[in-house]
Amino acid sequence: MAAVTALIMRHEANIVTLDQYSDDPEGGAFFQRVVFHRPGLSIALPQIDADVAETLDPYGVQWVLTDQSVPKRMAILASTSDHCLLELLWRHRRGELPVTIPMLISNHTNVAEDVRSFGLPFFHVPSQGPDKSAAEARILELLGGNVDLVVLARYMQIISEDVLDAVGVPVINIHHSFLPAFIGAAPYRKAAERGVKLIGATSHYVTKDLDEGPIIEQDVARVDHTMDAAALQARGAYVERAVLSRAVQWHAQDRVIRHGNHTIVFP
Amino acid sequence: MAAVTALIMRHEANIVTLDQYSDDPEGGAFFQRVVFHRPGLSIALPQIDADVAETLDPYGVQWVLTDQSVPKRMAILASTSDHCLLELLWRHRRGELPVTIPMLISNHTNVAEDVRSFGLPFFHVPSQGPDKSAAEARILELLGGNVDLVVLARYMQIISEDVLDAVGVPVINIHHSFLPAFIGAAPYRKAAERGVKLIGATSHYVTKDLDEGPIIEQDVARVDHTMDAAALQARGAYVERAVLSRAVQWHAQDRVIRHGNHTIVFP
Amino acid sequence: MAAVTALIMRHEANIVTLDQYSDDPEGGAFFQRVVFHRPGLSIALPQIDADVAETLDPYGVQWVLTDQSVPKRMAILASTSDHCLLELLWRHRRGELPVTIPMLISNHTNVAEDVRSFGLPFFHVPSQGPDKSAAEARILELLGGNVDLVVLARYMQIISEDVLDAVGVPVINIHHSFLPAFIGAAPYRKAAERGVKLIGATSHYVTKDLDEGPIIEQDVARVDHTMDAAALQARGAYVERAVLSRAVQWHAQDRVIRHGNHTIVFP
Amino acid sequence: MAAVTALIMRHEANIVTLDQYSDDPEGGAFFQRVVFHRPGLSIALPQIDADVAETLDPYGVQWVLTDQSVPKRMAILASTSDHCLLELLWRHRRGELPVTIPMLISNHTNVAEDVRSFGLPFFHVPSQGPDKSAAEARILELLGGNVDLVVLARYMQIISEDVLDAVGVPVINIHHSFLPAFIGAAPYRKAAERGVKLIGATSHYVTKDLDEGPIIEQDVARVDHTMDAAALQARGAYVERAVLSRAVQWHAQDRVIRHGNHTIVFP
């Protein structure tokens, strides 16, 4: 750690924040996030990159050096629900999500007008029938080389393991329940049947194990016996959009490190 | 409903609160809670009881008439953990739980001194070995006819269906997770393994289906990647004691109606 | 109360919910809200109205009978901030606010395009210089007879007492602090200076006493030492839009009763 | 910063956590907290202390080096309320507060038995009449040289500026409102009069400006129109004890830095 901070200061950069975490001080994994400010970074970056490699690679450290002035390119996949989607577009317009949004893809058309009113491209990729291969190929063609992040904003199609591999960038999903409770379809119906007093939402990275990927963020809302599944769903929409937005923001700010099936989320 | 309110007013009582709820206005079940104030209630109660029966029984309505000045008799069963137990005793001493506590039973002795410092009887019923029948018989003997409610304050023995039937009064449990997530044993270990961002606790009526009874109250606390299972457990203790205390308070105030596997909790 | 329920049932209506509250069982004020369902209500309403009057007026009871199928007409006044405004428009489009929105008025033009994309009329009423009388007259002309409710969605002009009287309908405001803390202007700057650990928002009815009207709803968000006034403001926007939306929804559903400087908000 | 980490590693210590914060990357104040593990620390400490001084003093840096295995000595001052007091004692007994508690002082006697049941010394210092000087002298005599921290657990006497100076260690208070709302006496009565929808509690360092010291922690609880001042107070007690306990824990763990009228609370 001293070597990294010394290296950064040697490059005349100011450390803005530095956070680290070890899951076991005696021989566990060690995680660190350093944010530094350096005028003229884009010119100095290749040299800093080389120096970090020289310093850390001998120890087998996994590291990433990113320029926060270069926003990530985020594609959004959605279906008919607009609440998560609009929240992301609106927060982006406010300047709170450090991303560009090169495209929105939906298997329906009802959100097209809203998306375009934000000046963003909308692509309709229908997904009917049991054979999804044509739709999947079309989506991969659109995404290929164009994105650094894919966000599933209540996208109601399953992403196959093949597609996930081919996409090659992180995929963030919002599950409309408090995982691991109510895994799978229709969580609000299941929650109503179980008579729960809180409902939740979970944003996680998508892995080949459906609903089992590393959790980035979760939250809940209080409900009561007067609410049926439809009322839970209406209330839950507000939790979903907040949880997904926070997860996307933290990922876009390079605050999240995946480690096995966990995440470290730096403050 | 008009008949009930008319009946109450005919008995010169003031209605303090009245709440009702129907799970379907067209032919669903209808639930109502009326609190009324009537000087000299203990003398008038038998006649009011008879009048309510005459009014409601022809319609097959299930009803209960209770005198809130008569506290329920609540037994507490505990093991080694003291946080739920002490919270109940302390809230009781503050006058926030309208119950009497005729006894505390534990399969360990470490909480005996604390319990007795509150002036309450403590009974040690050891529960070693695979055969629980002697311990169960002893517990039933202690409870028999003496209690209106049994609270499991982190009691780590399974209540068999036979015991549950024999007890004959409601039994409230605190499960140290956000049910239905992490059903069964060691929920904090499971939560740590899953990398959740919130942990919870659930208070429910005990039924023969373990961890599946009607939920009375739930709550959560925020956690993060720095916390291992032991840290989650330490944090969770504060959620558990709050959730169990609220559930017990609401039950003691006759606010909770069980309906199938759900509860209606009147405000 | 028995008289009211009897009257409602005499009109062949089903009571959907009934809630009541008394601020003192012995001689205090008594508040009640009854929701009933009656097919063909619009035809029966005049007779029900007359019967309620005959029943309640002799006792000097204040009462209102409204047809929930007739939405309230809600005007929104805004300035440059869009977060509260867009949240209201979006919730309205989702069918969660039982209102019509005949107009949005702003002293700026930047939100015009957004408002019109929802298919709603936008009126620009500039408000420069110390003399506000022309602007106020124009606003009153637009509102006159057209609205049942005025919502100030971060409208940064003071509503004079004369205008308030002339409007003649309830006016709901969102104050961007946790009243009564940080009354007046620039609450986020004051909060940052005071080093608070939570920021809040308060929705209240507007009265002639600025920031002193009856509170309908409040909420908070956690903040920390890393956040300056601008960061508090960005975070606070999410609390503001949620608090204002809930207050407007509850008012629109006739759940809120004003009593002195308090509100009773029925569940 | 690199110098400090290099120094720590030179002493064969492992850095466990390191957090830093700057209120302005360009020339603002810079705050850092480093926790390191070093077998045989007590022997090495004087040399580390000298080295840190040699490294940091030339720059005029304010710094403190503490051995976390040496708990702070915490005196508690209380009056008649037991909820904050018992919560601290109970958390201490669970091992969650890294302090010793050499004494509890109260101007009343009702909590004496509870305190002594935890095996702790109780001192009664009555405080009647307008002249507080005898009581203050007695308190200073008890505290003198014996404590590193004083906690006011709903102590209802004002600590004069003279006493504060003479105590010479940090003093933490719990104010039973969400400061800066409802400054001064009887905040629950004021909150009830104002019709708030949330009540709060604030823990802060005591300064000569009553209720104006640096805030360490705050929290709130939801309330409604049915609750009078007494009900708010009963509900508020649970917020108070949680907020004070967190503030004390963080202070005891050396997580809190005072800076002007603010605090930096490291995670």
Side-chain angles (χ1 to χ4, degrees):
Chain A
M1 187 163 67
V4 172
T5 54
L7 185 159
I8 290 167
M9 295 174 86
R10 211 162 58 229
H11 277 280
E12 295 175 359
N14 277 327
I15 291 182
V16 179
T17 69
L18 184 154
D19 294 288
Q20 46 94 324
Y21 160 69
S22 172
D23 58 10
D24 186 348
E26 308 287 330
F30 179 86
F31 307 88
Q32 184 174 315
R33 176 179 183 261
V34 186
V35 179
F36 59 89
H37 179 72
R38 206 279 190 190
L41 178 67
S42 57
I43 292 164
L45 204 59
Q47 187 59 47
I48 299 176
D49 194 276
D51 289 359
V52 173
E54 193 184 317
T55 305
L56 294 181
D57 288 353
Y59 300 98
V61 173
Q62 293 180 40
W63 58 274
V64 179
L65 182 66
T66 58
D67 181 348
Q68 289 200 341
S69 70
V70 180
K72 295 189 200 311
R73 301 164 301 162
M74 174 178 84
I76 303 174
L77 271 63
S79 291
T80 55
S81 292
D82 65 358
H83 56 283
C84 286
L85 166 66
L86 288 176
E87 183 72 7
L88 289 171
L89 299 187
W90 182 77
R91 290 193 187 212
H92 177 249
R93 191 173 78 175
R94 279 172 83 81
E96 297 184 0
L97 296 180
V99 298
T100 59
I101 304 178
M103 69 186 74
L104 186 127
I105 300 170
S106 176
N107 55 330
H108 294 270
T109 56
N110 64 306
V111 298
E113 196 177 338
D114 272 327
V115 171
R116 287 176 178 144
S117 80
F118 280 85
L120 297 173
F122 173 88
F123 298 105
H124 180 219
V125 180
S127 180
Q128 283 138 342
D131 183 3
K132 308 292 186 192
S133 58
E136 290 181 347
R138 175 74 177 127
I139 289 171
L140 285 175
E141 184 187 31
L142 287 164
L143 297 177
N146 291 324
V147 299
D148 305 306
L149 170 66
V150 174
V151 174
L152 309 183
R154 294 299 310 274
Y155 181 63
M156 305 306 279
Q157 301 287 317
I158 290 171
I159 306 288
S160 71
E161 194 172 344
D162 287 349
V163 170
L164 202 58
D165 286 345
V167 165
V169 298
V171 178
I172 294 177
N173 185 41
I174 179 74
H175 192 269
H176 44 316
S177 87
F178 190 73
L179 291 176
F182 309 123
I183 285 178
Y188 290 121
R189 184 175 54 69
K190 293 174 188 165
E193 286 169 5
R194 186 62 185 88
V196 297
K197 302 302 186 186
L198 295 171
I199 52 165
T202 304
S203 188
H204 61 94
Y205 288 111
V206 177
T207 60
K208 64 183 172 62
D209 300 310
L210 187 69
D211 296 349
E212 297 286 350
I215 293 170
I216 308 170
E217 171 65 337
Q218 302 186 288
D219 213 342
V220 295
R222 191 158 279 275
V223 297
D224 63 35
H225 60 268
T226 65
M227 300 169 79
D228 59 13
L232 297 187
Q233 184 169 343
R235 176 71 52 90
Y238 295 96
V239 187
E240 294 168 20
R241 68 175 187 173
V243 167
L244 179 61
S245 293
R246 291 202 292 266
V248 167
Q249 185 183 33
W250 297 340
H251 176 90
Q253 293 170 335
D254 291 311
R255 293 184 185 280
V256 189
I257 297 181
R258 288 169 67 158
H259 179 56
N261 203 38
H262 290 204
T263 63
I264 290 96
V265 181
F266 285 113
Chain B
M1 189 163 64
V4 172
T5 53
L7 183 159
I8 291 167
M9 296 174 86
R10 210 162 59 230
H11 277 279
E12 293 174 2
N14 277 328
I15 291 182
V16 178
T17 68
L18 183 154
D19 294 287
Q20 47 93 326
Y21 160 69
S22 171
D23 59 9
D24 187 349
E26 307 287 331
F30 178 87
F31 307 88
Q32 183 174 315
R33 177 178 183 261
V34 186
V35 178
F36 60 88
H37 180 72
R38 207 278 193 193
L41 179 67
S42 57
I43 293 164
L45 204 59
Q47 186 59 46
I48 299 176
D49 195 275
D51 288 0
V52 173
E54 191 184 320
T55 305
L56 294 181
D57 287 353
Y59 299 98
V61 174
Q62 293 180 40
W63 58 275
V64 180
L65 181 66
T66 59
D67 181 347
Q68 288 200 341
S69 71
V70 180
K72 295 188 199 313
R73 300 165 301 162
M74 174 177 83
I76 303 176
L77 272 62
S79 292
T80 57
S81 293
D82 64 359
H83 56 282
C84 286
L85 165 65
L86 288 176
E87 183 73 8
L88 289 171
L89 299 187
W90 180 75
R91 291 194 186 211
H92 177 249
R93 190 174 78 176
R94 278 171 85 79
E96 297 186 0
L97 295 180
V99 298
T100 58
I101 305 179
M103 69 184 75
L104 186 126
I105 301 170
S106 176
N107 54 331
H108 294 269
T109 56
N110 64 306
V111 298
E113 196 177 338
D114 272 328
V115 171
R116 287 176 179 145
S117 80
F118 279 87
L120 298 173
F122 172 88
F123 298 104
H124 179 218
V125 181
S127 179
Q128 283 137 342
D131 183 3
K132 309 291 185 193
S133 56
E136 290 181 346
R138 174 75 176 126
I139 290 172
L140 285 175
E141 184 187 30
L142 286 165
L143 297 177
N146 291 324
V147 298
D148 305 306
L149 169 67
V150 174
V151 174
L152 309 182
R154 295 299 309 275
Y155 180 62
M156 304 308 278
Q157 300 287 318
I158 288 171
I159 305 288
S160 70
E161 194 172 344
D162 286 350
V163 171
L164 202 59
D165 286 345
V167 166
V169 298
V171 178
I172 294 177
N173 185 41
I174 179 73
H175 192 269
H176 45 316
S177 87
F178 190 74
L179 291 176
F182 309 123
I183 284 178
Y188 290 120
R189 184 176 53 71
K190 293 174 188 165
E193 285 169 5
R194 185 64 187 88
V196 296
K197 302 303 184 185
L198 296 170
I199 52 165
T202 304
S203 188
H204 62 93
Y205 289 111
V206 177
T207 60
K208 64 184 173 62
D209 300 309
L210 188 68
D211 296 348
E212 297 285 351
I215 294 170
I216 307 171
E217 172 63 336
Q218 303 186 286
D219 213 340
V220 295
R222 190 158 282 274
V223 297
D224 64 35
H225 59 269
T226 65
M227 301 169 78
D228 59 12
L232 297 188
Q233 183 170 343
R235 177 70 51 88
Y238 297 97
V239 187
E240 293 167 21
R241 68 175 187 173
V243 167
L244 179 61
S245 295
R246 291 202 291 266
V248 168
Q249 185 183 32
W250 297 340
H251 176 91
Q253 293 170 334
D254 291 310
R255 294 183 184 280
V256 189
I257 298 180
R258 289 170 68 160
H259 179 57
N261 204 38
H262 290 205
T263 62
I264 289 95
V265 181
F266 285 113
Chain C
M1 188 164 67
V4 172
T5 53
L7 183 159
I8 290 167
M9 295 175 85
R10 210 162 59 229
H11 277 279
E12 294 175 0
N14 277 327
I15 291 182
V16 178
T17 69
L18 183 154
D19 295 286
Q20 47 94 325
Y21 160 68
S22 172
D23 58 9
D24 187 350
E26 307 287 329
F30 178 87
F31 307 88
Q32 184 174 314
R33 177 178 183 261
V34 186
V35 178
F36 58 88
H37 180 71
R38 206 280 191 191
L41 178 67
S42 57
I43 292 164
L45 203 58
Q47 186 59 46
I48 299 176
D49 196 275
D51 288 358
V52 173
E54 193 184 318
T55 305
L56 295 181
D57 286 354
Y59 299 97
V61 174
Q62 292 181 41
W63 58 274
V64 179
L65 181 67
T66 59
D67 181 348
Q68 288 200 341
S69 70
V70 180
K72 295 189 200 310
R73 301 164 301 163
M74 172 177 85
I76 302 174
L77 271 63
S79 290
T80 57
S81 294
D82 64 359
H83 55 282
C84 286
L85 165 65
L86 288 176
E87 184 73 7
L88 289 171
L89 298 188
W90 179 74
R91 290 194 186 211
H92 177 249
R93 190 175 77 176
R94 278 172 85 80
E96 296 185 1
L97 296 180
V99 298
T100 58
I101 305 178
M103 70 185 74
L104 186 127
I105 301 170
S106 175
N107 55 330
H108 294 270
T109 56
N110 63 308
V111 297
E113 197 177 336
D114 273 328
V115 172
R116 287 175 179 146
S117 79
F118 279 87
L120 298 173
F122 172 87
F123 298 104
H124 180 219
V125 180
S127 180
Q128 283 137 343
D131 183 3
K132 308 293 186 193
S133 57
E136 289 181 346
R138 174 73 176 126
I139 289 172
L140 285 175
E141 183 188 31
L142 286 165
L143 297 177
N146 291 324
V147 299
D148 305 305
L149 170 66
V150 173
V151 173
L152 309 182
R154 296 298 310 274
Y155 181 63
M156 304 306 279
Q157 301 287 318
I158 289 171
I159 306 287
S160 71
E161 194 172 344
D162 286 350
V163 170
L164 203 59
D165 287 345
V167 165
V169 298
V171 179
I172 294 177
N173 185 41
I174 180 74
H175 192 269
H176 45 318
S177 87
F178 190 74
L179 290 177
F182 308 123
I183 285 177
Y188 290 120
R189 184 175 54 68
K190 293 174 188 167
E193 286 169 5
R194 186 63 186 85
V196 296
K197 303 301 185 186
L198 296 171
I199 53 165
T202 304
S203 188
H204 62 93
Y205 289 110
V206 177
T207 60
K208 63 185 173 60
D209 300 310
L210 189 67
D211 299 345
E212 298 284 353
I215 293 171
I216 307 170
E217 172 62 337
Q218 303 187 287
D219 214 340
V220 295
R222 192 158 279 273
V223 297
D224 64 35
H225 59 268
T226 66
M227 301 170 78
D228 60 12
L232 296 188
Q233 183 169 346
R235 177 71 52 88
Y238 297 98
V239 187
E240 294 168 19
R241 67 175 188 175
V243 167
L244 179 61
S245 294
R246 290 202 292 266
V248 167
Q249 185 183 32
W250 297 339
H251 177 91
Q253 293 170 335
D254 290 311
R255 293 183 184 280
V256 189
I257 298 182
R258 290 169 67 160
H259 179 59
N261 204 38
H262 290 203
T263 62
I264 289 96
V265 181
F266 284 113
Chain D
M1 189 164 65
V4 172
T5 54
L7 185 158
I8 290 167
M9 295 174 86
R10 210 162 59 230
H11 278 280
E12 296 174 358
N14 276 328
I15 291 182
V16 179
T17 68
L18 183 154
D19 294 285
Q20 47 94 326
Y21 159 68
S22 172
D23 59 9
D24 186 350
E26 309 286 331
F30 178 87
F31 307 88
Q32 184 175 314
R33 177 178 183 261
V34 186
V35 179
F36 60 88
H37 180 72
R38 207 278 192 191
L41 179 67
S42 57
I43 293 164
L45 204 59
Q47 188 57 48
I48 299 177
D49 195 276
D51 288 359
V52 173
E54 193 184 318
T55 305
L56 294 181
D57 287 354
Y59 300 97
V61 174
Q62 293 180 39
W63 58 273
V64 180
L65 181 67
T66 59
D67 181 348
Q68 288 200 341
S69 70
V70 180
K72 295 188 199 313
R73 300 165 301 162
M74 174 177 85
I76 303 175
L77 272 63
S79 291
T80 56
S81 294
D82 65 357
H83 56 283
C84 286
L85 164 66
L86 288 176
E87 183 73 7
L88 290 171
L89 299 188
W90 182 77
R91 291 193 187 212
H92 177 250
R93 191 173 76 175
R94 280 171 83 80
E96 298 185 0
L97 295 180
V99 298
T100 58
I101 305 178
M103 69 186 73
L104 186 126
I105 300 169
S106 175
N107 54 331
H108 295 268
T109 57
N110 63 306
V111 297
E113 196 178 338
D114 273 328
V115 171
R116 287 175 179 147
S117 79
F118 280 85
L120 298 173
F122 172 88
F123 298 104
H124 180 219
V125 181
S127 180
Q128 284 138 339
D131 183 2
K132 308 291 186 194
S133 57
E136 291 181 347
R138 173 76 176 125
I139 290 171
L140 285 175
E141 184 187 29
L142 287 165
L143 297 177
N146 292 324
V147 299
D148 305 306
L149 170 66
V150 174
V151 174
L152 309 182
R154 297 299 309 274
Y155 181 63
M156 306 307 279
Q157 300 287 317
I158 289 172
I159 306 288
S160 71
E161 194 172 344
D162 287 350
V163 170
L164 202 58
D165 287 345
V167 166
V169 298
V171 179
I172 294 177
N173 185 41
I174 179 73
H175 192 270
H176 44 316
S177 86
F178 191 74
L179 291 176
F182 308 123
I183 285 177
Y188 291 120
R189 185 175 53 70
K190 293 173 188 165
E193 286 168 6
R194 186 61 186 86
V196 297
K197 302 302 185 185
L198 296 170
I199 53 165
T202 304
S203 187
H204 62 94
Y205 289 110
V206 177
T207 61
K208 63 184 173 62
D209 300 309
L210 188 68
D211 298 347
E212 297 285 350
I215 293 170
I216 307 170
E217 172 63 337
Q218 302 187 287
D219 214 339
V220 295
R222 190 158 281 274
V223 297
D224 64 34
H225 60 268
T226 65
M227 301 169 79
D228 59 13
L232 297 187
Q233 183 169 344
R235 177 72 50 90
Y238 296 96
V239 187
E240 293 168 21
R241 68 175 187 172
V243 167
L244 179 61
S245 295
R246 290 201 293 266
V248 167
Q249 184 183 34
W250 297 340
H251 177 91
Q253 294 170 335
D254 291 310
R255 293 182 184 282
V256 188
I257 298 180
R258 289 169 66 160
H259 180 57
N261 204 37
H262 290 203
T263 62
I264 290 94
V265 181
F266 285 114

